[in-house]
Amino acid sequence: MMELNVDRLRALRRELLGGEGAAPAPEKPALPALPARPPTLCAGCGHRGVFYTLAKLKATVTGDIGCYTLGVAPPLSSMDTTICMGASIGAAFGMRKAGYKGRLAAVIGDSTFFHSGMTGLLDVVYNKGAITVVVLDNRITGMTGHQPNPGTGRTLLGEPTVQTSIAEVARALGVKRVHEVDVYNLAEVERVLKEELDCGEPSVVVAYGSCVIAAKKAVGAVPHAVDPAKCKSCGACFKLGCPAIVRGEETAPGRFRSKIEPAACIGCDVCAQVCPFKAISTTKE
Amino acid sequence: MNETTNVNLVGVGGQGILLTADVLARTAAEAGLDVKKTEIHGMSQRGGSVSSQVRFGAKVRSPIVPDGEADILVAFDAVEAVRALPSMRPEGRALVDRCYLVPITVSSGLQPAPEDPDAMLGRLYGDRLLRVDSRALAAEAGNPRTANMAIAGALSRLLPFPEAAWEAALRGRLPEKLVAVNLRAFALGRAALA
Ligand code: SF4
Ligand code: SF4
């Protein structure tokens, strides 16, 4: 943390002025060991299934700047580079030009795409880059506090305005292979991504799912639940890293049944689609 | 000599910390003081540690509370209260909720569970520790999402502002239809720390 806060400035003053006119550094109390509390993709976030699928398909993923950068964290661990706004596309394209033969996806959010992804995509089409650009389209600028963007259909002041379609922008730039998928339909996400990652031409997949927070999906949500009689403690659902999915009973050393925190779960159904034993389903009557 | 009061509010993204800090800052302004506030959120809104600092007094120059200078800690989560200990003055008081949200690093098995949060708090804060059970109070008020205003009610006991200033601040910050239930939670929190 290199921010210039009071403590840092005081330390610098002590260093530069040899302690003159500055109080000595306060003694820091010793703390017991505490678990880290890193930010995570929200429970029910639509980005989760896309990252899960990219990891499953063993794609190399160049990432970008936004909430979705959290896809880098375990257990998804599904982002290999993050450089700066818009860099996902250039980085993937550069890797391809440098001779990389594997599956290659540039993952970028909708706001970042409008901000600085479009020029990169034009470069990719023009110069025939065989990469797949996956636009995680939640129609909002999540990380900075849910400001609208050109895909939202509202101005910053809340007035209705044009809603720019990312798929149409991609087509206008010359991309022939453009697909739109629903992020909560994992089978469709996997089918389309697999096809596009292996197609050998520039392609764009717009993965749509509105932001959990902006769309207030937690309000009145009916949670999913795990049927302990069906759960085989296989751990598949834990790989999603949904904060609503926690360890339940230990059924064998190091093997845990899954449990869903009803207060946190928004019932997005992604874990139910991942469970090989159909142990997870909605609690809706 | 210590003319500025420093309040450090900490917890987990989604607990309503920033709203509480906002209500506190508005209350101090209602009471005619100079106020500055800062917050660390952004990505930490997504279930990570969140903090907001509010400073008020005759004249406040910087919004940041230096380490070791918080007069009051308001912690919405017991483990976050332990984490915030270095922010406190040795004599500063800590208002800590009964809530402990298990971090995903623990629930997913990546890190070991911490020692019992209540034991840690007792050891580290001693008689400077005040506890409140905001979730129970919010349930009593009739809406689980008012837990933060129950905490604000308890906090109001530690500060010299009139109840009317708190109420005006709360009304100014919440939509009309949520005011009554939040005021109820506030009153319950205030009574809980009587
Ligand atoms: S349905 Fe599953 S993946 Fe979706 S929010 Fe609930 S626990 Fe998380
Ligand atoms: S994927 Fe299904 S069977 Fe496996 S741990 Fe999760 S709920 Fe249990």
Side-chain angles (χ1 to χ4, degrees), chain A residues 5-7 10 26 28-40 42 66-67 70 142-143 146 213 241-243 246-247, chain B residues 12 42-43 45-49 66-67 69 77 80 82-83 85-86 101 103-109 111 114-115 120 123-124:
Chain A
N5 57 28
V6 182
D7 301 302
R10 279 184 180 159
K28 303 252 178 216
L31 284 187
L34 296 176
R37 201 187 290 275
T40 46
C42 299
C67 287
L70 293 167
M143 190 174 75
H146 307 100
I213 295 182
C242 174
V246 299
R247 282 183 174 185
Chain B
V12 179
M43 279 223 289
Q45 200 169 354
R46 323 286 171 257
S49 307
D67 271 355
E69 295 189 17
D77 175 275
E80 294 311 305
V82 175
R83 213 190 294 282
L85 181 67
L101 296 173
I104 187 158
T105 45
V106 174
S107 59
S108 63
Q111 288 191 334
E115 99 180 68
M120 283 192 285
R123 194 171 71 235
L124 297 168

